[in-house]
Amino acid sequence: MALSVRRYAVRGEQTPRLREALEEDIVAGRLRPGQRLDEAGLAERFRVSRTPIREALIQLSASGLIEMRPRRGAFVALLGPRELVESFELMAEIEASCARLAAQRLGPADRAAITEAHVACQQAVAAGDDDAYYPANAHFHAAIYAATGNRVLRAEATRLQTALQPYRRLQLKVPRRIANSLAEHEAILEALLAGDGAGAADRIRAHVLVQGERFMTLLAALQQEAQMAD
């Protein structure tokens, strides 16, 4: 994927827009876990001074997407094996809570949004378009967060999903993982629409958790990404 080139001329708008652009590149996998972010190169790419670049990197560091290393600069965050397992465990429990509440509180608009996101996932799989599946998958989960009716839970789920999105994308590169993911979505949707909170929670928890062969494959993919970033 090619990195976009944008120019931000208004000083007051530079930092938030730069932060959003860099966050988008990380979430979309255009900037890989462990990759060093060169301030001078980014300033040239976005045609701005280094000051707003530095401010944007500091903000991304606070969100967990960027790691600031003394005397070495900024790097896209690269979680270790234990951090990875613990983060996905937390994500699984948060999403289980979201699914349980969503099943109890689904309104017509929520049903339509979740179903529409699932259909987009189906269309991406049918077309063999992995790049289209990634955002459709994120929208499916986001629609469940929105259906909870709990703003605090939704915000926390969204924050952690954003931080883990690069790793969730890597997971989906495992052979047949996208097809399995879609089947799991189908089961989750079925439980949600039936108002089965416990069933929806159990299914989405299993869907999110990284364990066994999936974990080993993800670790191998991360090692490959780190080597490419060096």
Side-chain angles (χ1 to χ4, degrees):
M1 300 180 195
L3 294 172
S4 60
V5 177
R6 307 169 189 174
R7 184 171 186 170
Y8 301 127
V10 181
R11 177 67 179 87
E13 297 180 354
Q14 286 179 348
T15 298
R17 291 188 178 182
L18 289 167
R19 184 193 66 241
E20 290 171 5
L22 291 170
E23 179 178 297
E24 180 184 325
D25 283 343
I26 293 170
V27 169
R30 292 186 287 268
L31 293 173
R32 300 181 298 274
Q35 182 172 343
R36 184 175 182 277
L37 301 175
D38 176 59
E39 287 185 11
L42 290 173
E44 181 179 356
R45 171 188 161 195
F46 290 106
R47 302 176 187 176
V48 297
S49 70
R50 293 177 65 169
T51 299
I53 293 292
R54 189 173 300 114
E55 293 171 351
L57 292 176
I58 290 171
Q59 291 181 12
L60 286 170
S61 175
S63 73
L65 282 175
I66 296 293
E67 179 184 357
M68 305 296 287
R69 301 178 187 174
R71 296 181 296 279
R72 296 190 62 194
F75 292 78
V76 179
L78 179 62
L79 298 180
R82 181 171 179 174
E83 292 175 302
L84 199 60
V85 169
E86 291 175 348
S87 295
F88 271 97
E89 282 180 346
L90 177 59
M91 186 81 256
E93 293 306 320
I94 288 176
E95 294 220 16
S97 295
C98 287
R100 185 175 61 254
L101 285 178
Q104 298 166 1
R105 300 175 178 178
L106 277 182
D110 297 316
R111 290 172 176 266
I114 297 171
T115 301
E116 182 180 341
H118 180 59
V119 169
C121 289
Q122 289 177 318
Q123 292 172 340
V125 171
D129 189 348
D130 292 357
D131 287 337
Y133 187 85
Y134 299 139
N137 175 64
H139 291 157
F140 177 80
H141 287 266
I144 295 173
Y145 308 161
T148 65
N150 185 313
R151 292 176 298 175
V152 176
L153 181 59
R154 178 183 182 181
E156 184 60 22
T158 301
R159 183 198 66 78
L160 191 54
Q161 184 199 48
T162 299
L164 290 178
Q165 195 62 26
Y167 303 95
R168 296 179 84 152
R169 286 178 64 91
L170 283 176
Q171 262 193 286
L172 291 172
K173 292 183 179 181
V174 175
R176 290 201 53 77
R177 179 57 200 148
I178 287 181
N180 291 337
S181 173
L182 181 64
E184 291 163 11
H185 282 190
E186 184 76 41
I188 293 164
L189 179 62
E190 179 183 325
L192 287 170
L193 296 181
D196 180 4
D202 287 344
R203 291 173 185 182
I204 206 166
R205 182 185 293 109
H207 172 66
V208 174
L209 275 175
V210 180
Q211 52 191 340
E213 183 180 355
R214 280 171 59 190
F215 176 65
M216 297 308 296
T217 304
L218 178 56
L219 277 186
L222 280 175
Q223 290 172 351
Q224 183 177 8
E225 291 286 316
Q227 290 170 359
M228 292 174 64
D230 287 342

mmCIF file with all atom_site columns, all heavy atoms in Angstrom, residues 161-185:
data_model
loop_
_atom_site.group_PDB
_atom_site.id
_atom_site.type_symbol
_atom_site.label_atom_id
_atom_site.label_alt_id
_atom_site.label_comp_id
_atom_site.label_asym_id
_atom_site.label_entity_id
_atom_site.label_seq_id
_atom_site.pdbx_PDB_ins_code
_atom_site.Cartn_x
_atom_site.Cartn_y
_atom_site.Cartn_z
_atom_site.occupancy
_atom_site.B_iso_or_equiv
_atom_site.pdbx_formal_charge
_atom_site.auth_seq_id
_atom_site.auth_comp_id
_atom_site.auth_asym_id
_atom_site.auth_atom_id
_atom_site.pdbx_PDB_model_num
ATOM 1   N N   . GLN A 1 161 ? -9.418  -1.461  20.517 1.00 0.00 ? 161 GLN A N   1
ATOM 2   C CA  . GLN A 1 161 ? -9.472  -1.995  19.155 1.00 0.00 ? 161 GLN A CA  1
ATOM 3   C C   . GLN A 1 161 ? -8.489  -1.257  18.251 1.00 0.00 ? 161 GLN A C   1
ATOM 4   O O   . GLN A 1 161 ? -7.795  -1.869  17.441 1.00 0.00 ? 161 GLN A O   1
ATOM 5   C CB  . GLN A 1 161 ? -10.883 -1.870  18.566 1.00 0.00 ? 161 GLN A CB  1
ATOM 6   C CG  . GLN A 1 161 ? -10.989 -2.519  17.179 1.00 0.00 ? 161 GLN A CG  1
ATOM 7   C CD  . GLN A 1 161 ? -12.185 -2.028  16.383 1.00 0.00 ? 161 GLN A CD  1
ATOM 8   O OE1 . GLN A 1 161 ? -12.425 -0.837  16.287 1.00 0.00 ? 161 GLN A OE1 1
ATOM 9   N NE2 . GLN A 1 161 ? -12.925 -2.958  15.811 1.00 0.00 ? 161 GLN A NE2 1
ATOM 10  N N   . THR A 1 162 ? -8.412  0.061   18.402 1.00 0.00 ? 162 THR A N   1
ATOM 11  C CA  . THR A 1 162 ? -7.479  0.851   17.593 1.00 0.00 ? 162 THR A CA  1
ATOM 12  C C   . THR A 1 162 ? -6.041  0.440   17.880 1.00 0.00 ? 162 THR A C   1
ATOM 13  O O   . THR A 1 162 ? -5.233  0.270   16.961 1.00 0.00 ? 162 THR A O   1
ATOM 14  C CB  . THR A 1 162 ? -7.664  2.356   17.875 1.00 0.00 ? 162 THR A CB  1
ATOM 15  O OG1 . THR A 1 162 ? -9.001  2.739   17.527 1.00 0.00 ? 162 THR A OG1 1
ATOM 16  C CG2 . THR A 1 162 ? -6.677  3.186   17.070 1.00 0.00 ? 162 THR A CG2 1
ATOM 17  N N   . ALA A 1 163 ? -5.704  0.266   19.161 1.00 0.00 ? 163 ALA A N   1
ATOM 18  C CA  . ALA A 1 163 ? -4.343  -0.109  19.541 1.00 0.00 ? 163 ALA A CA  1
ATOM 19  C C   . ALA A 1 163 ? -3.969  -1.494  19.024 1.00 0.00 ? 163 ALA A C   1
ATOM 20  O O   . ALA A 1 163 ? -2.808  -1.745  18.670 1.00 0.00 ? 163 ALA A O   1
ATOM 21  C CB  . ALA A 1 163 ? -4.192  -0.065  21.064 1.00 0.00 ? 163 ALA A CB  1
ATOM 22  N N   . LEU A 1 164 ? -4.948  -2.395  18.953 1.00 0.00 ? 164 LEU A N   1
ATOM 23  C CA  . LEU A 1 164 ? -4.669  -3.781  18.534 1.00 0.00 ? 164 LEU A CA  1
ATOM 24  C C   . LEU A 1 164 ? -4.941  -4.031  17.057 1.00 0.00 ? 164 LEU A C   1
ATOM 25  O O   . LEU A 1 164 ? -4.658  -5.121  16.556 1.00 0.00 ? 164 LEU A O   1
ATOM 26  C CB  . LEU A 1 164 ? -5.507  -4.760  19.366 1.00 0.00 ? 164 LEU A CB  1
ATOM 27  C CG  . LEU A 1 164 ? -5.114  -4.901  20.843 1.00 0.00 ? 164 LEU A CG  1
ATOM 28  C CD1 . LEU A 1 164 ? -6.066  -5.855  21.547 1.00 0.00 ? 164 LEU A CD1 1
ATOM 29  C CD2 . LEU A 1 164 ? -3.681  -5.400  20.975 1.00 0.00 ? 164 LEU A CD2 1
ATOM 30  N N   . GLN A 1 165 ? -5.456  -3.033  16.355 1.00 0.00 ? 165 GLN A N   1
ATOM 31  C CA  . GLN A 1 165 ? -5.845  -3.248  14.966 1.00 0.00 ? 165 GLN A CA  1
ATOM 32  C C   . GLN A 1 165 ? -4.714  -3.776  14.083 1.00 0.00 ? 165 GLN A C   1
ATOM 33  O O   . GLN A 1 165 ? -4.942  -4.669  13.255 1.00 0.00 ? 165 GLN A O   1
ATOM 34  C CB  . GLN A 1 165 ? -6.421  -1.958  14.372 1.00 0.00 ? 165 GLN A CB  1
ATOM 35  C CG  . GLN A 1 165 ? -7.181  -2.147  13.075 1.00 0.00 ? 165 GLN A CG  1
ATOM 36  C CD  . GLN A 1 165 ? -8.415  -3.037  13.242 1.00 0.00 ? 165 GLN A CD  1
ATOM 37  O OE1 . GLN A 1 165 ? -8.979  -3.128  14.316 1.00 0.00 ? 165 GLN A OE1 1
ATOM 38  N NE2 . GLN A 1 165 ? -8.811  -3.702  12.181 1.00 0.00 ? 165 GLN A NE2 1
ATOM 39  N N   . PRO A 1 166 ? -3.466  -3.269  14.222 1.00 0.00 ? 166 PRO A N   1
ATOM 40  C CA  . PRO A 1 166 ? -2.394  -3.840  13.387 1.00 0.00 ? 166 PRO A CA  1
ATOM 41  C C   . PRO A 1 166 ? -2.207  -5.337  13.598 1.00 0.00 ? 166 PRO A C   1
ATOM 42  O O   . PRO A 1 166 ? -1.913  -6.075  12.656 1.00 0.00 ? 166 PRO A O   1
ATOM 43  C CB  . PRO A 1 166 ? -1.153  -3.059  13.833 1.00 0.00 ? 166 PRO A CB  1
ATOM 44  C CG  . PRO A 1 166 ? -1.683  -1.777  14.387 1.00 0.00 ? 166 PRO A CG  1
ATOM 45  C CD  . PRO A 1 166 ? -2.974  -2.152  15.052 1.00 0.00 ? 166 PRO A CD  1
ATOM 46  N N   . TYR A 1 167 ? -2.398  -5.795  14.842 1.00 0.00 ? 167 TYR A N   1
ATOM 47  C CA  . TYR A 1 167 ? -2.222  -7.210  15.157 1.00 0.00 ? 167 TYR A CA  1
ATOM 48  C C   . TYR A 1 167 ? -3.428  -8.025  14.696 1.00 0.00 ? 167 TYR A C   1
ATOM 49  O O   . TYR A 1 167 ? -3.283  -9.184  14.277 1.00 0.00 ? 167 TYR A O   1
ATOM 50  C CB  . TYR A 1 167 ? -2.008  -7.379  16.663 1.00 0.00 ? 167 TYR A CB  1
ATOM 51  C CG  . TYR A 1 167 ? -0.831  -6.579  17.166 1.00 0.00 ? 167 TYR A CG  1
ATOM 52  C CD1 . TYR A 1 167 ? -1.018  -5.310  17.711 1.00 0.00 ? 167 TYR A CD1 1
ATOM 53  C CD2 . TYR A 1 167 ? 0.465   -7.054  17.058 1.00 0.00 ? 167 TYR A CD2 1
ATOM 54  C CE1 . TYR A 1 167 ? 0.059   -4.553  18.147 1.00 0.00 ? 167 TYR A CE1 1
ATOM 55  C CE2 . TYR A 1 167 ? 1.545   -6.303  17.484 1.00 0.00 ? 167 TYR A CE2 1
ATOM 56  C CZ  . TYR A 1 167 ? 1.336   -5.054  18.020 1.00 0.00 ? 167 TYR A CZ  1
ATOM 57  O OH  . TYR A 1 167 ? 2.408   -4.293  18.439 1.00 0.00 ? 167 TYR A OH  1
ATOM 58  N N   . ARG A 1 168 ? -4.613  -7.423  14.755 1.00 0.00 ? 168 ARG A N   1
ATOM 59  C CA  . ARG A 1 168 ? -5.797  -8.114  14.267 1.00 0.00 ? 168 ARG A CA  1
ATOM 60  C C   . ARG A 1 168 ? -5.710  -8.305  12.755 1.00 0.00 ? 168 ARG A C   1
ATOM 61  O O   . ARG A 1 168 ? -6.152  -9.329  12.220 1.00 0.00 ? 168 ARG A O   1
ATOM 62  C CB  . ARG A 1 168 ? -7.061  -7.343  14.664 1.00 0.00 ? 168 ARG A CB  1
ATOM 63  C CG  . ARG A 1 168 ? -7.253  -7.284  16.175 1.00 0.00 ? 168 ARG A CG  1
ATOM 64  C CD  . ARG A 1 168 ? -8.487  -6.516  16.601 1.00 0.00 ? 168 ARG A CD  1
ATOM 65  N NE  . ARG A 1 168 ? -9.667  -7.368  16.573 1.00 0.00 ? 168 ARG A NE  1
ATOM 66  C CZ  . ARG A 1 168 ? -10.737 -7.178  17.361 1.00 0.00 ? 168 ARG A CZ  1
ATOM 67  N NH1 . ARG A 1 168 ? -10.760 -6.190  18.232 1.00 0.00 ? 168 ARG A NH1 1
ATOM 68  N NH2 . ARG A 1 168 ? -11.770 -7.974  17.277 1.00 0.00 ? 168 ARG A NH2 1
ATOM 69  N N   . ARG A 1 169 ? -5.139  -7.328  12.070 1.00 0.00 ? 169 ARG A N   1
ATOM 70  C CA  . ARG A 1 169 ? -4.933  -7.476  10.627 1.00 0.00 ? 169 ARG A CA  1
ATOM 71  C C   . ARG A 1 169 ? -3.965  -8.613  10.332 1.00 0.00 ? 169 ARG A C   1
ATOM 72  O O   . ARG A 1 169 ? -4.176  -9.406  9.414  1.00 0.00 ? 169 ARG A O   1
ATOM 73  C CB  . ARG A 1 169 ? -4.388  -6.171  10.030 1.00 0.00 ? 169 ARG A CB  1
ATOM 74  C CG  . ARG A 1 169 ? -5.409  -5.062  9.906  1.00 0.00 ? 169 ARG A CG  1
ATOM 75  C CD  . ARG A 1 169 ? -4.748  -3.813  9.366  1.00 0.00 ? 169 ARG A CD  1
ATOM 76  N NE  . ARG A 1 169 ? -4.254  -4.031  8.013  1.00 0.00 ? 169 ARG A NE  1
ATOM 77  C CZ  . ARG A 1 169 ? -4.952  -3.796  6.922  1.00 0.00 ? 169 ARG A CZ  1
ATOM 78  N NH1 . ARG A 1 169 ? -6.200  -3.345  7.013  1.00 0.00 ? 169 ARG A NH1 1
ATOM 79  N NH2 . ARG A 1 169 ? -4.445  -4.007  5.716  1.00 0.00 ? 169 ARG A NH2 1
ATOM 80  N N   . LEU A 1 170 ? -2.889  -8.706  11.124 1.00 0.00 ? 170 LEU A N   1
ATOM 81  C CA  . LEU A 1 170 ? -1.923  -9.788  10.924 1.00 0.00 ? 170 LEU A CA  1
ATOM 82  C C   . LEU A 1 170 ? -2.579  -11.150 11.155 1.00 0.00 ? 170 LEU A C   1
ATOM 83  O O   . LEU A 1 170 ? -2.295  -12.109 10.433 1.00 0.00 ? 170 LEU A O   1
ATOM 84  C CB  . LEU A 1 170 ? -0.731  -9.608  11.865 1.00 0.00 ? 170 LEU A CB  1
ATOM 85  C CG  . LEU A 1 170 ? 0.295   -8.542  11.487 1.00 0.00 ? 170 LEU A CG  1
ATOM 86  C CD1 . LEU A 1 170 ? 1.356   -8.414  12.570 1.00 0.00 ? 170 LEU A CD1 1
ATOM 87  C CD2 . LEU A 1 170 ? 0.948   -8.860  10.148 1.00 0.00 ? 170 LEU A CD2 1
ATOM 88  N N   . GLN A 1 171 ? -3.447  -11.228 12.164 1.00 0.00 ? 171 GLN A N   1
ATOM 89  C CA  . GLN A 1 171 ? -4.166  -12.473 12.420 1.00 0.00 ? 171 GLN A CA  1
ATOM 90  C C   . GLN A 1 171 ? -4.934  -12.937 11.188 1.00 0.00 ? 171 GLN A C   1
ATOM 91  O O   . GLN A 1 171 ? -4.999  -14.126 10.881 1.00 0.00 ? 171 GLN A O   1
ATOM 92  C CB  . GLN A 1 171 ? -5.186  -12.238 13.545 1.00 0.00 ? 171 GLN A CB  1
ATOM 93  C CG  . GLN A 1 171 ? -4.754  -12.656 14.927 1.00 0.00 ? 171 GLN A CG  1
ATOM 94  C CD  . GLN A 1 171 ? -5.952  -12.660 15.838 1.00 0.00 ? 171 GLN A CD  1
ATOM 95  O OE1 . GLN A 1 171 ? -6.435  -11.612 16.234 1.00 0.00 ? 171 GLN A OE1 1
ATOM 96  N NE2 . GLN A 1 171 ? -6.442  -13.827 16.145 1.00 0.00 ? 171 GLN A NE2 1
ATOM 97  N N   . LEU A 1 172 ? -5.546  -11.959 10.517 1.00 0.00 ? 172 LEU A N   1
ATOM 98  C CA  . LEU A 1 172 ? -6.395  -12.297 9.380  1.00 0.00 ? 172 LEU A CA  1
ATOM 99  C C   . LEU A 1 172 ? -5.604  -12.773 8.167  1.00 0.00 ? 172 LEU A C   1
ATOM 100 O O   . LEU A 1 172 ? -6.185  -13.229 7.183  1.00 0.00 ? 172 LEU A O   1
ATOM 101 C CB  . LEU A 1 172 ? -7.263  -11.088 9.010  1.00 0.00 ? 172 LEU A CB  1
ATOM 102 C CG  . LEU A 1 172 ? -8.342  -10.725 10.038 1.00 0.00 ? 172 LEU A CG  1
ATOM 103 C CD1 . LEU A 1 172 ? -9.011  -9.410  9.679  1.00 0.00 ? 172 LEU A CD1 1
ATOM 104 C CD2 . LEU A 1 172 ? -9.382  -11.840 10.151 1.00 0.00 ? 172 LEU A CD2 1
ATOM 105 N N   . LYS A 1 173 ? -4.258  -12.664 8.237  1.00 0.00 ? 173 LYS A N   1
ATOM 106 C CA  . LYS A 1 173 ? -3.424  -13.150 7.143  1.00 0.00 ? 173 LYS A CA  1
ATOM 107 C C   . LYS A 1 173 ? -3.161  -14.651 7.244  1.00 0.00 ? 173 LYS A C   1
ATOM 108 O O   . LYS A 1 173 ? -2.625  -15.255 6.323  1.00 0.00 ? 173 LYS A O   1
ATOM 109 C CB  . LYS A 1 173 ? -2.093  -12.389 7.115  1.00 0.00 ? 173 LYS A CB  1
ATOM 110 C CG  . LYS A 1 173 ? -2.250  -10.914 6.717  1.00 0.00 ? 173 LYS A CG  1
ATOM 111 C CD  . LYS A 1 173 ? -0.906  -10.227 6.641  1.00 0.00 ? 173 LYS A CD  1
ATOM 112 C CE  . LYS A 1 173 ? -1.053  -8.773  6.226  1.00 0.00 ? 173 LYS A CE  1
ATOM 113 N NZ  . LYS A 1 173 ? 0.262   -8.079  6.131  1.00 0.00 ? 173 LYS A NZ  1
ATOM 114 N N   . VAL A 1 174 ? -3.537  -15.243 8.391  1.00 0.00 ? 174 VAL A N   1
ATOM 115 C CA  . VAL A 1 174 ? -3.382  -16.689 8.555  1.00 0.00 ? 174 VAL A CA  1
ATOM 116 C C   . VAL A 1 174 ? -4.283  -17.394 7.530  1.00 0.00 ? 174 VAL A C   1
ATOM 117 O O   . VAL A 1 174 ? -5.428  -16.984 7.328  1.00 0.00 ? 174 VAL A O   1
ATOM 118 C CB  . VAL A 1 174 ? -3.781  -17.115 9.983  1.00 0.00 ? 174 VAL A CB  1
ATOM 119 C CG1 . VAL A 1 174 ? -3.745  -18.636 10.130 1.00 0.00 ? 174 VAL A CG1 1
ATOM 120 C CG2 . VAL A 1 174 ? -2.864  -16.450 11.006 1.00 0.00 ? 174 VAL A CG2 1
ATOM 121 N N   . PRO A 1 175 ? -3.780  -18.447 6.857  1.00 0.00 ? 175 PRO A N   1
ATOM 122 C CA  . PRO A 1 175 ? -4.605  -19.142 5.860  1.00 0.00 ? 175 PRO A CA  1
ATOM 123 C C   . PRO A 1 175 ? -5.973  -19.538 6.397  1.00 0.00 ? 175 PRO A C   1
ATOM 124 O O   . PRO A 1 175 ? -6.087  -20.080 7.492  1.00 0.00 ? 175 PRO A O   1
ATOM 125 C CB  . PRO A 1 175 ? -3.759  -20.385 5.520  1.00 0.00 ? 175 PRO A CB  1
ATOM 126 C CG  . PRO A 1 175 ? -2.354  -19.933 5.752  1.00 0.00 ? 175 PRO A CG  1
ATOM 127 C CD  . PRO A 1 175 ? -2.420  -19.014 6.945  1.00 0.00 ? 175 PRO A CD  1
ATOM 128 N N   . ARG A 1 176 ? -7.011  -19.226 5.659  1.00 0.00 ? 176 ARG A N   1
ATOM 129 C CA  . ARG A 1 176 ? -8.416  -19.508 5.953  1.00 0.00 ? 176 ARG A CA  1
ATOM 130 C C   . ARG A 1 176 ? -8.949  -18.751 7.163  1.00 0.00 ? 176 ARG A C   1
ATOM 131 O O   . ARG A 1 176 ? -10.089 -18.962 7.574  1.00 0.00 ? 176 ARG A O   1
ATOM 132 C CB  . ARG A 1 176 ? -8.660  -21.014 6.131  1.00 0.00 ? 176 ARG A CB  1
ATOM 133 C CG  . ARG A 1 176 ? -8.548  -21.815 4.844  1.00 0.00 ? 176 ARG A CG  1
ATOM 134 C CD  . ARG A 1 176 ? -9.289  -23.149 4.948  1.00 0.00 ? 176 ARG A CD  1
ATOM 135 N NE  . ARG A 1 176 ? -10.667 -23.008 5.371  1.00 0.00 ? 176 ARG A NE  1
ATOM 136 C CZ  . ARG A 1 176 ? -11.670 -22.602 4.585  1.00 0.00 ? 176 ARG A CZ  1
ATOM 137 N NH1 . ARG A 1 176 ? -11.439 -22.261 3.321  1.00 0.00 ? 176 ARG A NH1 1
ATOM 138 N NH2 . ARG A 1 176 ? -12.889 -22.513 5.052  1.00 0.00 ? 176 ARG A NH2 1
ATOM 139 N N   . ARG A 1 177 ? -8.150  -17.851 7.746  1.00 0.00 ? 177 ARG A N   1
ATOM 140 C CA  . ARG A 1 177 ? -8.625  -17.132 8.924  1.00 0.00 ? 177 ARG A CA  1
ATOM 141 C C   . ARG A 1 177 ? -9.791  -16.208 8.577  1.00 0.00 ? 177 ARG A C   1
ATOM 142 O O   . ARG A 1 177 ? -10.730 -16.075 9.369  1.00 0.00 ? 177 ARG A O   1
ATOM 143 C CB  . ARG A 1 177 ? -7.477  -16.336 9.565  1.00 0.00 ? 177 ARG A CB  1
ATOM 144 C CG  . ARG A 1 177 ? -7.890  -15.535 10.794 1.00 0.00 ? 177 ARG A CG  1
ATOM 145 C CD  . ARG A 1 177 ? -8.517  -16.430 11.862 1.00 0.00 ? 177 ARG A CD  1
ATOM 146 N NE  . ARG A 1 177 ? -9.328  -15.675 12.810 1.00 0.00 ? 177 ARG A NE  1
ATOM 147 C CZ  . ARG A 1 177 ? -10.411 -16.150 13.416 1.00 0.00 ? 177 ARG A CZ  1
ATOM 148 N NH1 . ARG A 1 177 ? -10.821 -17.390 13.191 1.00 0.00 ? 177 ARG A NH1 1
ATOM 149 N NH2 . ARG A 1 177 ? -11.093 -15.401 14.246 1.00 0.00 ? 177 ARG A NH2 1
ATOM 150 N N   . ILE A 1 178 ? -9.742  -15.571 7.408  1.00 0.00 ? 178 ILE A N   1
ATOM 151 C CA  . ILE A 1 178 ? -10.830 -14.662 7.044  1.00 0.00 ? 178 ILE A CA  1
ATOM 152 C C   . ILE A 1 178 ? -12.141 -15.433 6.879  1.00 0.00 ? 178 ILE A C   1
ATOM 153 O O   . ILE A 1 178 ? -13.196 -14.995 7.348  1.00 0.00 ? 178 ILE A O   1
ATOM 154 C CB  . ILE A 1 178 ? -10.477 -13.858 5.776  1.00 0.00 ? 178 ILE A CB  1
ATOM 155 C CG1 . ILE A 1 178 ? -9.415  -12.800 6.122  1.00 0.00 ? 178 ILE A CG1 1
ATOM 156 C CG2 . ILE A 1 178 ? -11.712 -13.206 5.176  1.00 0.00 ? 178 ILE A CG2 1
ATOM 157 C CD1 . ILE A 1 178 ? -9.010  -11.920 4.959  1.00 0.00 ? 178 ILE A CD1 1
ATOM 158 N N   . ALA A 1 179 ? -12.078 -16.590 6.224  1.00 0.00 ? 179 ALA A N   1
ATOM 159 C CA  . ALA A 1 179 ? -13.289 -17.396 6.052  1.00 0.00 ? 179 ALA A CA  1
ATOM 160 C C   . ALA A 1 179 ? -13.837 -17.837 7.410  1.00 0.00 ? 179 ALA A C   1
ATOM 161 O O   . ALA A 1 179 ? -15.055 -17.802 7.654  1.00 0.00 ? 179 ALA A O   1
ATOM 162 C CB  . ALA A 1 179 ? -12.984 -18.615 5.190  1.00 0.00 ? 179 ALA A CB  1
ATOM 163 N N   . ASN A 1 180 ? -12.932 -18.236 8.315  1.00 0.00 ? 180 ASN A N   1
ATOM 164 C CA  . ASN A 1 180 ? -13.367 -18.637 9.651  1.00 0.00 ? 180 ASN A CA  1
ATOM 165 C C   . ASN A 1 180 ? -13.925 -17.447 10.433 1.00 0.00 ? 180 ASN A C   1
ATOM 166 O O   . ASN A 1 180 ? -14.899 -17.576 11.179 1.00 0.00 ? 180 ASN A O   1
ATOM 167 C CB  . ASN A 1 180 ? -12.203 -19.256 10.418 1.00 0.00 ? 180 ASN A CB  1
ATOM 168 C CG  . ASN A 1 180 ? -11.784 -20.601 9.855  1.00 0.00 ? 180 ASN A CG  1
ATOM 169 O OD1 . ASN A 1 180 ? -12.575 -21.275 9.195  1.00 0.00 ? 180 ASN A OD1 1
ATOM 170 N ND2 . ASN A 1 180 ? -10.549 -21.000 10.095 1.00 0.00 ? 180 ASN A ND2 1
ATOM 171 N N   . SER A 1 181 ? -13.283 -16.291 10.256 1.00 0.00 ? 181 SER A N   1
ATOM 172 C CA  . SER A 1 181 ? -13.747 -15.079 10.925 1.00 0.00 ? 181 SER A CA  1
ATOM 173 C C   . SER A 1 181 ? -15.179 -14.755 10.499 1.00 0.00 ? 181 SER A C   1
ATOM 174 O O   . SER A 1 181 ? -16.024 -14.404 11.334 1.00 0.00 ? 181 SER A O   1
ATOM 175 C CB  . SER A 1 181 ? -12.814 -13.911 10.585 1.00 0.00 ? 181 SER A CB  1
ATOM 176 O OG  . SER A 1 181 ? -13.310 -12.686 11.078 1.00 0.00 ? 181 SER A OG  1
ATOM 177 N N   . LEU A 1 182 ? -15.442 -14.873 9.209  1.00 0.00 ? 182 LEU A N   1
ATOM 178 C CA  . LEU A 1 182 ? -16.787 -14.583 8.712  1.00 0.00 ? 182 LEU A CA  1
ATOM 179 C C   . LEU A 1 182 ? -17.815 -15.545 9.304  1.00 0.00 ? 182 LEU A C   1
ATOM 180 O O   . LEU A 1 182 ? -18.920 -15.131 9.689  1.00 0.00 ? 182 LEU A O   1
ATOM 181 C CB  . LEU A 1 182 ? -16.804 -14.673 7.186  1.00 0.00 ? 182 LEU A CB  1
ATOM 182 C CG  . LEU A 1 182 ? -18.152 -14.380 6.526  1.00 0.00 ? 182 LEU A CG  1
ATOM 183 C CD1 . LEU A 1 182 ? -18.582 -12.942 6.783  1.00 0.00 ? 182 LEU A CD1 1
ATOM 184 C CD2 . LEU A 1 182 ? -18.081 -14.664 5.027  1.00 0.00 ? 182 LEU A CD2 1
ATOM 185 N N   . ALA A 1 183 ? -17.462 -16.830 9.382  1.00 0.00 ? 183 ALA A N   1
ATOM 186 C CA  . ALA A 1 183 ? -18.371 -17.814 9.968  1.00 0.00 ? 183 ALA A CA  1
ATOM 187 C C   . ALA A 1 183 ? -18.647 -17.488 11.437 1.00 0.00 ? 183 ALA A C   1
ATOM 188 O O   . ALA A 1 183 ? -19.780 -17.641 11.930 1.00 0.00 ? 183 ALA A O   1
ATOM 189 C CB  . ALA A 1 183 ? -17.784 -19.222 9.832  1.00 0.00 ? 183 ALA A CB  1
ATOM 190 N N   . GLU A 1 184 ? -17.617 -17.024 12.140 1.00 0.00 ? 184 GLU A N   1
ATOM 191 C CA  . GLU A 1 184 ? -17.777 -16.638 13.548 1.00 0.00 ? 184 GLU A CA  1
ATOM 192 C C   . GLU A 1 184 ? -18.673 -15.405 13.666 1.00 0.00 ? 184 GLU A C   1
ATOM 193 O O   . GLU A 1 184 ? -19.494 -15.310 14.582 1.00 0.00 ? 184 GLU A O   1
ATOM 194 C CB  . GLU A 1 184 ? -16.407 -16.391 14.171 1.00 0.00 ? 184 GLU A CB  1
ATOM 195 C CG  . GLU A 1 184 ? -15.590 -17.672 14.327 1.00 0.00 ? 184 GLU A CG  1
ATOM 196 C CD  . GLU A 1 184 ? -14.104 -17.421 14.540 1.00 0.00 ? 184 GLU A CD  1
ATOM 197 O OE1 . GLU A 1 184 ? -13.716 -16.244 14.779 1.00 0.00 ? 184 GLU A OE1 1
ATOM 198 O OE2 . GLU A 1 184 ? -13.323 -18.386 14.468 1.00 0.00 ? 184 GLU A OE2 1
ATOM 199 N N   . HIS A 1 185 ? -18.523 -14.461 12.735 1.00 0.00 ? 185 HIS A N   1
ATOM 200 C CA  . HIS A 1 185 ? -19.409 -13.294 12.709 1.00 0.00 ? 185 HIS A CA  1
ATOM 201 C C   . HIS A 1 185 ? -20.871 -13.730 12.564 1.00 0.00 ? 185 HIS A C   1
ATOM 202 O O   . HIS A 1 185 ? -21.765 -13.176 13.204 1.00 0.00 ? 185 HIS A O   1
ATOM 203 C CB  . HIS A 1 185 ? -19.051 -12.378 11.535 1.00 0.00 ? 185 HIS A CB  1
ATOM 204 C CG  . HIS A 1 185 ? -17.859 -11.519 11.767 1.00 0.00 ? 185 HIS A CG  1
ATOM 205 N ND1 . HIS A 1 185 ? -17.509 -10.489 10.919 1.00 0.00 ? 185 HIS A ND1 1
ATOM 206 C CD2 . HIS A 1 185 ? -16.935 -11.509 12.758 1.00 0.00 ? 185 HIS A CD2 1
ATOM 207 C CE1 . HIS A 1 185 ? -16.423 -9.900  11.369 1.00 0.00 ? 185 HIS A CE1 1
ATOM 208 N NE2 . HIS A 1 185 ? -16.050 -10.510 12.476 1.00 0.00 ? 185 HIS A NE2 1
#
